[in-house]
Structures are given as C-alpha cells and as structure tokens.
Amino acid sequence: MLNIDTLKGPYTNEQVLVILLTRLYFGTQKIDDIRDFLDNEIVDWNVFYKLISVNDIRGFICEVITISQITIDQETHDRLKKDAMGITLVAANLAGLKNHLMIEFEKLGIKAVPYKGATLATRYYKSPLLRESSDLDFLVNRDEVPQLMKCLYENGYRSKFNISAHQMGFVMRFHRELSFQSPKNRMGISCGVELQWRLLENFFRQFHQHDFFVEYLQSYTAIDGSSHIGLAPTYDFLAVASHHLIREPLLKFKYLIDLACMVQTSSSQLDWEEINLQFKLHNFSGLLNSGMNALAEIVGLQLPVLNTVSPAYHLFSATEIKTGRNVYFRKIKLVNLKQSFLEKIKLSLKAHLSLLIPNLNDLSMTKAPAWTIPLIIPVKSLRFLYLYLTKRP
C-alpha cells in the first residue's frame, strides 16, 4: 500500500483525502493518520465536494466521516448529510423494485441475472444505502427481451427511447441494452432499469454472456439478513469487472470501492485462478492486473499474487461531463492504455466506426421502415464532419 507521502505526488490533497477515507472504511488506514493529514494540509472543500459528487461517492464518504467522527468543513458536511438522505431514499426504492421485478420475471420462467448497482450494494457493502446508484442492471437472454419488455410495460415502466417493433432486430444486433424508467413511488422517486443482453459493446473482443453466467445463480443471505438470488461471488466479480475494468476502466472512484467491497466481503469465496483465467481467455489480463494493482496500492487490500506484473492504473478520470463523445473517447483511451499497439489501432478504428451506427436516439426519431435505417449512417457522417470542421464540441 502506498504511503501518504507517495500519494501526494500524483494526487491532489482532495484526492488523497478520498483515498484515506476509503482506506478507513476498509480498515487499512489509521484514523489518526487522517486527522494529522487534515491538520497539516490545505483542502479546498468545494473541489472536494465536486470530486466526490462526480465520482458518485457522496453517501459513502458522508458515512465514513460521520461514523468515524472526522472533522471537516461544516458546510460541506451539511451538504453531504442532505445528499445522503436523498441517496438513501433512492437506494430503498431500488431495493424494492429489484425484489418486485425478480418475482415478476420468475413468474414468466425467466432467469434474469441481477448485477452491479443496488444488487452489489445489498450484498457487499456494510449497508446497501452507502452506494450511490440510480438504476438496476439485469443481464438477460436476448431471445427473452420481448417478454421482459412486455412485463415492464404492464408494470407501468416506460422506455427511455421510443423504439418501434420493426427496429428491434437492428437494436438487438448492434446494441447491448434497452433502458426503462420506473413509475414514480409515493415520494416521487423514479429509477432506471437496464435490460442488457451483452456485457460489452460490439467493438470490444467479446466476453461471456447470459448463457454462461446464468448457470452460476444461487441463493444468498445479504448482510442485513434478507434472502436474494444472485451470482456466485467469483462470477459476480467477473460480471461487475467487465464494466468496472473493461468498459470503463476505473473511470469513477466508485468502481474501485465496489471491487474492494466484493473482495473484502467474499474473499474466501473468490476463485482467483478462475477470474484470472477468464480475463486471460478474452485477452483482458492487462485490465484485470491494473485493477488488482489499484486495490493493493490504493485501498491496501491483501490479494493473492497472480502474476509479477504491476501495471499502472488511472484514477479520478471522471469529470462533470458524464455523457457524449468526450466521455466515450476517454473510456476508449483508458482501455487502450493496456493494449498492444496493434490492438490499440483495431479498437480505436472500431470505436470510431461504431459512432456512425444509428444509436437508440436516432432510431427513436424515425418511424421509417427498417430498410431505411442504413440511410442514417451518411447523415451522421456528414454531421460529424461538419462538427469537426467547425470545431464544435
């Protein structure tokens, strides 16, 4: 684990404080070290608040500060406590929605695989209310998507994109998920639901899908004593890591905390040889090793030695811009840092070309026949060329 003086090199005081508070949660840093840091270093509390907001860890940081009685800027602490109340309400709603949907899916004889988000929080965090999230993620069989959509519509959910029936074949072929919004509860809270038939976009080398993971569903008892259905920890880690380490390599600091919670809570149940093997089979070992190195150096967790390589990792890459091409290419850049020269070229080319494929928003704006969908491509190409030439963001 990197000491505090070493952390001060690549990271700002605000980022170092986030790391130290995270370590406190996992029991790898003494509370007196944090108090000494706050006494001797200058922290810009507005920057600190913005940092944890962008990385979706306000509730987590607030809980650590409150439980450990860490003294910080009072205005910032008050803002965090207010935020934490809202995060708690959303988390409670997500938990209820997940339980209800799992029952509805089971009635249809469908085995959806819940992972990430509220599922991860309930199982691996000390309290499910600590993790900031706004949607539920289900890995599903692509052939069962029509049934699942019908189920959601009948339960008052609405699609975030107005996709026509004749467009579904194109969507299933070129995209990986459909997004829905739940009805508002009595407090006016609405959450998202993602039906995903693919873990990674087409421009990546493929990873395991629903038919692989569904075999590892099991019953488990969460930290609060409630019973749930989820993946065995080894395969849960694989599914979550496909997002946190491959699609968006530690883009948000929340992802590192997620993985650390999984490792610490289920250390005795994780088959590291299997995890290492599956990443190696799909040529993603560099990304796994990078994440494991971050868990050891930043969080301070003791991990089994799988290799002698300690590749670099990049933290705090998330910005206030959460969508759009800038974020899209930032993700690709992070992935490419762990690729060979030839793989970088292949991935970058595929990623650029994928932007020309009509996205869900493009499809929702037209009711034209399916055969006209390819005609959207030259229109998008001209638009991108125009934006490039005029240097618009």
Side-chain angles (χ1 to χ4, degrees), residues 288-321:
L288 172 64
N289 296 335
S290 176
M292 297 302 97
N293 194 29
L295 286 173
E297 292 189 350
I298 298 299
V299 183
L301 296 184
Q302 297 297 315
L303 300 169
V305 179
L306 300 178
N307 52 70
T308 58
V309 180
S310 297
Y313 45 84
H314 300 266
L315 304 177
F316 304 110
S317 296
T319 67
E320 291 180 89
I321 305 171

Side-chain angles (χ1 to χ4, degrees), residues 202-204 328-329 332-333 336 339-357:
N202 284 338
F203 54 78
F204 282 105
Y328 178 82
F329 286 118
I332 300 303
K333 182 179 180 180
N336 271 337
Q339 306 295 312
S340 66
F341 179 73
L342 181 59
E343 289 297 327
K344 287 180 182 179
I345 294 176
K346 289 181 180 179
L347 182 62
S348 295
L349 180 59
K350 289 180 180 179
H352 279 79
L353 290 175
S354 70
L355 287 174
L356 300 180
I357 296 173

Side-chain angles (χ1 to χ4, degrees), residues 60-106:
F60 176 85
I61 294 297
C62 182
E63 180 74 2
V64 174
I65 289 171
T66 302
I67 294 297
S68 303
Q69 298 183 332
I70 301 291
T71 302
I72 67 167
D73 173 68
Q74 188 60 51
E75 182 180 352
T76 302
H77 197 184
D78 289 342
R79 292 177 73 182
L80 287 177
K81 287 189 288 187
K82 183 177 179 181
D83 292 340
M85 291 177 62
I87 292 167
T88 298
L89 292 174
V90 172
N93 188 48
L94 283 170
L97 291 175
K98 180 205 160 192
N99 293 337
H100 177 257
L101 288 177
M102 289 296 289
I103 292 173
E104 292 298 306
F105 296 163
E106 186 178 355

Side-chain angles (χ1 to χ4, degrees), residues 140-152:
V140 301
N141 185 323
R142 59 181 294 168
D143 294 333
E144 295 175 334
V145 169
Q147 284 179 274
L148 292 168
M149 291 176 63
K150 184 173 183 292
C151 175
L152 291 176

Side-chain angles (χ1 to χ4, degrees), residues 359-373:
N359 58 37
L360 298 180
N361 188 53
D362 295 327
L363 297 176
S364 67
M365 292 190 294
T366 177
K367 297 295 182 181
W371 65 266
T372 65
I373 292 176

Side-chain angles (χ1 to χ4, degrees), residues 189-208:
I189 298 173
S190 176
C191 300
V193 172
E194 311 283 346
L195 297 182
Q196 301 166 0
W197 53 92
R198 206 179 276 127
L199 285 173
L200 304 177
E201 285 85 357
N202 284 338
F203 54 78
F204 282 105
R205 293 180 298 275
Q206 282 306 299
F207 203 61
H208 289 303

